[in-house]
Amino acid sequence: MILAERAARVQAEATTKAEAANARADLSSRDALIAHLKLEIEKLRRALYGSRSERKARLLEQMELQLEDLEAGATEDGLAAQKAEARTRDVTPLERRRPSRKPFPDHLPRERVVITAPETCPCCGSTKLSKLGEDITETLEVIPRQWKVIQTVREKFSCRDCEKITQPPAPFHVTPRGFAGPNLLAMILFEKFGQHQPLNRQSERYAREGIDLSVSTLADQVGACTSVLQPLHELIEAHVLGAERLHGDDTTVPILAKVKTVKGHIWTYVRDDRPFGGRAPPAALYYASRDRRQEHPERHLRL
């Protein structure tokens, strides 16, 4: 009787903990779903009516960060509820409401791993097996970044008749006397300007991967690439500013200064004649300044 009473008490405690864990998981799931729906509604409003202010854009970013925290918390509470449910049989498992996951893109390569089927029937041992079909489970995987050194060998030859030495020309480098390949340079520029990753953070991350690239070295490469890409910028500038109609706007951005962060401005000019039946390709042009004085757009549009 004592053992039965103790077992009943343990079971009751486990049931209570499981019900509490289920309640927390259900609440976290509902909060995440509400945040997800609010974010979708705000995105639809921006798509229909456009961006009304910079404050709305920051609010949207804040909602995305809040949704990220709620989704992570809901998953954590759901796993805790599953562990609590495994200790009792009196609690109905919680079914979390999740948004439907999109299928993986078709352009991704597929690696087919076939699990070896049994040669005999596990029930009767017969070898007369016929295939009825197959079930496919897709798992998204990534190949870690790999570093390599490309050695370009230029062999020298001497002529036995004239005793002159011949050798193929040196390989082309994007930057003068550059040691970095085009893919590495593109990654550095994209991380800095596309992902807003400063060069010091890039240098630290590369060091953790076993590659020693100092901040000064990365800065030299960025400066060299800027000089190389200048003709391309001039072509885009001439194409955008040569349009019959031009759309312009400025956006505030934080800029690092010696003592504190100051407010800078990104001037954007867009050419897009598609709504007016034009066939010219759309393009965007960007300028930067530390203030919002009138002389900046006057200088930009003087061309």
Side-chain angles (χ1 to χ4, degrees), residues 200-212:
N200 61 326
R201 294 184 181 178
Q202 294 190 46
S203 177
E204 294 173 357
R205 187 169 70 251
Y206 300 153
R208 287 192 293 267
E209 298 177 10
I211 305 298
D212 184 14

Side-chain angles (χ1 to χ4, degrees), residues 92-201:
T92 304
L94 173 67
E95 295 183 1
R96 182 183 171 190
R97 302 174 182 86
R98 294 176 177 268
S100 58
R101 181 178 61 82
K102 298 180 180 179
F104 298 134
D106 296 333
H107 68 271
L108 294 179
R110 261 64 175 179
E111 179 182 351
R112 187 177 174 87
V113 179
V114 181
I115 300 177
T116 304
E119 298 180 357
T120 60
C121 178
C123 182
C124 65
S126 174
T127 58
K128 297 180 180 180
L129 301 178
S130 60
K131 183 177 179 180
L132 298 178
E134 61 184 17
D135 295 330
I136 299 178
T137 302
E138 290 189 341
T139 304
L140 185 63
E141 188 56 280
V142 61
I143 300 176
R145 181 166 56 196
Q146 298 179 353
W147 297 84
K148 66 178 180 180
V149 178
I150 300 177
Q151 295 181 341
T152 303
V153 180
R154 298 185 296 137
E155 297 179 335
K156 294 182 180 180
F157 294 91
S158 63
C159 179
R160 295 298 180 90
D161 294 335
C162 63
E163 297 183 353
K164 289 187 177 180
I165 299 176
T166 58
Q167 186 181 24
F172 170 77
H173 288 284
V174 179
T175 58
R177 299 181 301 277
F179 68 91
N183 292 332
L184 176 56
L185 294 175
M187 182 181 68
I188 294 173
L189 293 179
F190 176 73
E191 289 287 338
K192 176 176 175 57
F193 299 106
Q195 299 296 331
H196 307 288
Q197 290 294 324
L199 296 180
N200 61 326
R201 294 184 181 178

Side-chain angles (χ1 to χ4, degrees), residues 4 28 113 117 140 220-221 223 229 248 265 274 300:
S28 300
V113 179
L140 185 63
D220 291 340
Q221 299 304 310
L229 294 175
H265 288 266
R274 291 176 297 180
H300 302 156

Side-chain angles (χ1 to χ4, degrees), residues 6 25 37 42 48 68 74 83 93 115 145 152 185 189 198 243 248 250 257 288 302-303:
R6 183 179 300 172
L37 295 177
E42 184 64 26
L48 290 175
E68 176 183 340
K83 293 181 180 179
I115 300 177
R145 181 166 56 196
T152 303
L185 294 175
L189 293 179
D250 70 295
R302 189 180 306 164
L303 301 176

Side-chain angles (χ1 to χ4, degrees), residues 7-51:
R9 186 172 63 253
V10 171
Q11 182 67 21
E13 292 178 356
T15 301
T16 303
K17 292 181 179 179
E19 291 176 350
N22 263 343
R24 286 195 299 269
D26 185 56
L27 182 60
S28 300
S29 178
R30 291 176 184 271
D31 291 342
L33 181 60
I34 293 173
H36 175 74
L37 295 177
K38 287 183 177 180
L39 180 61
E40 291 298 326
I41 292 173
E42 184 64 26
K43 287 183 177 180
L44 290 176
R45 287 177 178 174
R46 288 171 60 86
L48 290 175
Y49 307 111
S51 178

